[in-house]
Amino acid sequence: MDIQRVGQMAAQERQLGFTTPPNGTWVQTERAAHEKWAKLIGSHPKAAALMHVIVGNMGRHNALIASLPNLQRLMGCSRNTVIRAIATLREQNWIEVRQIGAAGTTNAYIVNDRVAWSGNRNGIRYSLFSAAVLVSDDEQPDKDEIGARPPLEHVPSLYPGEKQLPVGDGLPPPSQPSIAGLEPDLPTRQHASHQADSEEFTTNPKKW
């Protein structure tokens, strides 16, 4: 696929106009997206329903990681129905689907933009992106212990815009010796008095 075709596909996807606020509970869509969504409801109702589930649960970066069983529960339908709905959304360029792990039962569903792939380490390219993760307790091996486990150790971290506050006694102020040949020559009263005594001792040693 040439670069021009990729650019056209990316522009087409951005026209869907899904955006999410940083910390809000709503999703903003454009009118054109609703019109396309309405046509999708008429032709593929389960795919349209799945799109609502993905958009309703995705994070601020317009991506959701979820397992097939969780999507089944949210949609209230069979596994095969979910798989067909995913295929429809994928073929019509509503979402990009990226498999998480080798099992193939958990995927990342990305809305609007293609995932950027970079690097070529050992012949493998990697992609790092942010997404909301949807999990359920019945998928966890320690589901009976959830809620009873002790809190994790706290690892301090700084967020954007924050600054570390110094605590404790701190270190002594820095002290730098004078540079050779540039020592300060500042007269003082004590030094002048000592010099006068030295001169008087030289001229009148009997006094001392």
Side-chain angles (χ1 to χ4, degrees), residues 61-82:
H61 298 284
N62 293 3
L64 172 70
I65 296 176
S67 66
L68 288 177
N70 275 337
L71 294 180
Q72 286 179 240
R73 276 186 285 269
L74 291 175
M75 292 183 62
C77 57
S78 67
R79 177 189 179 92
N80 289 336
T81 300
V82 173

Side-chain angles (χ1 to χ4, degrees), residues 16 18 33 36-37 40 51 89 92-95 110-112:
L16 295 177
F18 295 112
K36 294 178 181 179
W37 217 329
L40 184 65
M51 192 65 189
L89 295 178
Q92 296 190 12
N93 290 328
W94 286 85
I95 60 174
I110 301 96
V111 179
N112 276 1

Side-chain angles (χ1 to χ4, degrees):
M1 184 178 295
D2 57 21
I3 297 177
Q4 183 178 3
R5 176 59 178 163
V6 173
Q8 291 175 351
M9 291 177 61
Q12 178 183 5
E13 290 158 6
R14 281 193 291 271
Q15 288 176 358
L16 295 177
F18 295 112
T19 57
T20 55
N23 297 304
T25 58
W26 50 270
V27 177
Q28 178 178 335
T29 59
E30 295 178 352
R31 294 181 186 272
H34 282 285
E35 294 175 1
K36 294 178 181 179
W37 217 329
K39 294 179 180 179
L40 184 65
I41 292 173
S43 59
H44 300 88
K46 290 299 183 181
L50 176 58
M51 192 65 189
H52 275 289
V53 170
I54 293 174
V55 172
N57 289 278
M58 67 185 184
R60 58 177 300 184
H61 298 284
N62 293 3
L64 172 70
I65 296 176
S67 66
L68 288 177
N70 275 337
L71 294 180
Q72 286 179 240
R73 276 186 285 269
L74 291 175
M75 292 183 62
C77 57
S78 67
R79 177 189 179 92
N80 289 336
T81 300
V82 173
I83 293 176
R84 287 195 297 268
I86 293 173
T88 299
L89 295 178
R90 192 176 197 172
E91 292 169 1
Q92 296 190 12
N93 290 328
W94 286 85
I95 60 174
E96 179 175 0
V97 181
R98 288 300 162 191
Q99 183 172 308
I100 306 298
T105 58
T106 300
N107 298 311
Y109 304 95
I110 301 96
V111 179
N112 276 1
D113 290 321
R114 296 288 185 186
V115 172
W117 295 85
S118 61
N120 193 350
R121 187 168 47 194
N122 298 327
I124 302 176
R125 292 188 300 166
Y126 295 88
S127 179
L128 178 64
F129 59 93
S130 299
V133 181
L134 180 66
V135 298
S136 59
D137 58 357
D138 62 347
E139 295 178 322
Q140 311 306 313
D142 59 345
K143 61 181 180 181
D144 296 332
E145 301 176 7
I146 293 178
R149 299 180 64 86
L152 296 176
E153 295 292 337
H154 179 66
V155 180
S157 60
L158 292 179
Y159 294 94
E162 293 183 337
K163 295 182 179 179
Q164 183 177 0
L165 298 177
V167 296
D169 298 333
L171 299 174
S175 177
Q176 179 178 351
S178 300
I179 300 176
L182 297 177
E183 294 85 355
D185 186 13
L186 301 176
T188 62
R189 294 183 62 184
Q190 181 180 3
H191 181 267
S193 175
H194 177 72
Q195 185 176 7
D197 292 342
S198 177
E199 292 175 354
E200 186 175 358
F201 175 79
T202 304
T203 57
N204 190 10
K206 293 183 179 181
K207 180 179 177 181
W208 300 88

